[in-house]
Structure formats: structure tokens, C-alpha cells
Amino acid sequence: MVEIVSPLEPAYRRGAHGNRDGGSRITLSETQPGSIVQLAAWPGREDAMRAVVKTVTGLALDGAPGAGAVDESSAAFGFAPGRWLVVDQAEGAGQTFREKVSADLGTVCDLSHGRTAIAVEGEKAERLLSKFYALDFSLAAFPVASAKSTAHHDVFTLIQRTGADRFDLYVYRSFARSFWHLLCASAEEFGYTVE
Amino acid sequence: MLIACPYCGPRDLSEFTYQGDANRTRPNPMSNDQSAWNAYVYERVNPAGDHREFWQHSGGCRAHLAVIRSTLTHEIKSVAFAREAAK
Ligand SMILES: [Zn+2]
């Protein structure tokens, strides 16, 4: 496999930054999945596509909008009608899906090099993301494993809640470094650690 | 102004792109009927009240939507996927 190079590299400063009064109330990290795969089902084939996701990843998705599932090494969620994102820390998921998804079922688009995955974690994670997006980030409105498609100015973002105080963000690779700068600047008031 | 996307739920106007009047019917592309093309390109209902229009949730799920909006109050009275509304 071609090595996945981080677009954040020149701006990725590990360690503690910003307001130190309350310690780090935000942790930022680039999760660097080996596979990021977009699946689209033809109309009427949505259930069959979700069954393929279950076969390949073991993750069970229900049919509700934005429904998702996570385990230690992989994640999957719906982000649009008939469309899902599947993320795996291991490489090669795109090839596996290409073998399993027949032409009459839908399409597979391997975005492993095209998206950058950033985890925002900590007691102020909801507060930080509320500065970016006009969404309700409370646990009741945005349950663990569910996902939403949204945008911050021109930076289209897929957001999956992967824990009570953790969100995984997927942004276009070409916008990722600019987005990262803004994320860090916006986290300064809370104190943040880059892992 | 909020638009309740059938997939994403209520979202801010800034996530959507207006795609025009949904009361028009495009003539057959092979048609030479100039009055039909003139009506399609230029003539608008322009109501003071409920207006059927297309929007795209371009900053979200990307779905195309058929919306009924009051031009007097901006109240959104109904939202459906455009592909279902077209049936
Ligand atoms: Zn939507």
C-alpha cells in the first residue's frame, strides 16, 4: 500500500497548549485510519448494503438516518440517504468492499487518502464544536455512535460521536491543515493537548 | 431560517443552496416550441404566499429537496426529498 502522509504534519505540535489554568480540557489527535471507504447503495438496496457492512466489519447499522456503530478498531455510520462511511485502522478495507459490493448493489469509493480524521475529546469537546457548527452536540440530541453531515464555511465535515465526550471528525484532506489551525486556536481558551 | 431536512433534521439556512422555482416543467429537450421554452426560462408564478421550490442540502447530506415556503413569512410548510416529490 502507498503510505498515507499526514497533511497536518508541519502544524502538528504534540504536547500541552493554551490556557493552563484548568489543565487540558480538550485532547486533539489525528487518528490516521488505514481505510476510509464511502459506500452508496442504489435505491431499494440499502438493507443489502448494511448487511455487507456487517459481514466485512462486524458492525451492525440500523436504518435510521445517521445511525452508526463503533468498536476498538473500526467505525461505520450513515451520513446521507443510502450512503455510509466505513473507517478501519487497518489498510485494505476498500479492496475488501470492492470484492463484496456487486454492481447492482451500489458503489465503493476509497477515500483513505482523501480525508483526514481528527478526534476531539474531553470535557469541553461539545463546547468547542459548538463554536464551529450550528448543531446540538448534547448527548440526548447526538447519541454515541450516531453521525451528522455538516459544514464549517467551506469545510464539509462528517462527525461521528464515538464516546460521551469524544467526536471523530472527517474533513477533506486539502482543507485539513487550515481546519486544524482553527481547531487549535479555538481550543486555546480551554487548554488542549495534542496527542 | 431553519429547514428540516428529511434525513438530517432541522438545519440552519447556511447549509442549504436554493435551486429555483419548482413550479416549472422543462419542455422536451427536442422541442422547438418557443413559447414553451420562453415560459420555462422566464415566466414565474411569483406568489405572495406559499411557493414550491427546490433546495439542496449542500452543506449536509447533499440531498435535493422540494420545499414549500411562504414568501411572506419565510415559514417552511413542507420538506420532502425531491425524487419522492417528483413521483
Ligand atoms: Zn440533509
Side-chain angles (χ1 to χ4, degrees):
Chain A
M1 288 284 181
V2 178
E3 187 188 348
I4 296 175
V5 177
S6 169
L8 306 184
E9 183 74 49
Y12 202 84
R13 299 181 300 129
R14 287 174 206 280
H17 306 281
N19 179 6
R20 307 312 307 154
D21 288 350
S24 281
R25 291 185 290 173
I26 292 282
T27 300
L28 301 175
S29 57
E30 186 187 5
T31 62
Q32 298 190 295
S35 304
I36 301 174
V37 183
Q38 180 175 310
L39 305 172
W42 302 120
R45 303 306 308 276
E46 294 87 351
D47 293 352
M49 186 66 91
R50 289 191 287 114
V52 172
V53 174
K54 178 87 163 73
T55 305
V56 173
T57 65
L59 298 171
L61 298 171
D62 75 44
V70 269
D71 66 16
E72 302 73 43
S73 62
S74 57
F77 55 86
F79 65 89
R83 289 167 195 262
W84 296 267
L85 200 75
V86 179
V87 181
D88 200 309
Q89 285 308 119
E91 292 185 19
Q95 184 57 37
T96 310
F97 275 105
R98 273 198 292 277
E99 288 159 11
K100 300 271 186 194
V101 174
S102 56
D104 66 343
L105 175 55
T107 60
V108 178
C109 185
D110 192 332
L111 299 174
S112 306
H113 294 252
R115 298 289 181 274
T116 296
I118 296 168
V120 176
E121 197 169 5
E123 61 176 286
K124 292 293 183 185
E126 285 182 15
R127 181 74 193 88
L128 173 61
L129 293 178
S130 297
K131 300 205 301 187
F132 280 70
Y133 306 103
L135 292 178
D136 184 349
F137 285 97
S138 68
L139 200 50
F142 200 153
V144 174
S146 71
K148 294 181 193 291
S149 310
T150 186
H152 179 259
H153 296 280
D154 285 335
V155 185
F156 184 70
T157 316
L158 301 179
I159 306 174
Q160 184 181 32
R161 186 177 212 131
T162 51
D165 61 0
R166 175 176 160 137
F167 298 86
D168 286 29
L169 277 51
Y170 300 90
V171 295
Y172 293 139
R173 179 201 160 89
S174 53
F175 287 133
R177 196 186 305 161
S178 162
F179 182 76
W180 176 259
H181 279 300
L182 190 60
L183 201 57
C184 291
S186 304
E188 276 190 6
E189 63 169 308
F190 308 118
Y192 68 98
T193 296
V194 176
E195 278 190 343
Chain B
M1 197 163 103
L2 294 175
I3 298 177
C5 171
Y7 188 88
C8 303
R11 294 294 182 90
D12 187 78
L13 174 67
S14 63
E15 291 192 0
F16 297 85
T17 309
Y18 183 62
Q19 296 200 310
D21 185 347
N23 298 294
R24 305 179 294 158
T25 307
R26 191 167 81 146
N28 184 322
M30 299 296 285
S31 167
N32 292 320
D33 182 342
Q34 295 226 0
S35 65
W37 281 108
N38 186 70
Y40 174 70
V41 175
Y42 295 110
E43 291 176 10
R44 295 293 180 272
V45 185
N46 196 23
D50 293 353
H51 187 230
R52 191 176 132 83
E53 46 201 31
F54 290 123
W55 288 78
Q56 186 188 11
H57 194 189
S58 47
C61 69
R62 304 275 170 90
H64 295 269
L65 308 173
V67 173
I68 295 175
R69 176 183 63 97
S70 169
T71 59
L72 291 175
T73 63
H74 290 312
E75 182 190 353
I76 303 288
K77 301 211 169 155
S78 77
V79 187
F81 290 123
R83 68 179 171 194
E84 287 170 9
K87 279 176 189 165

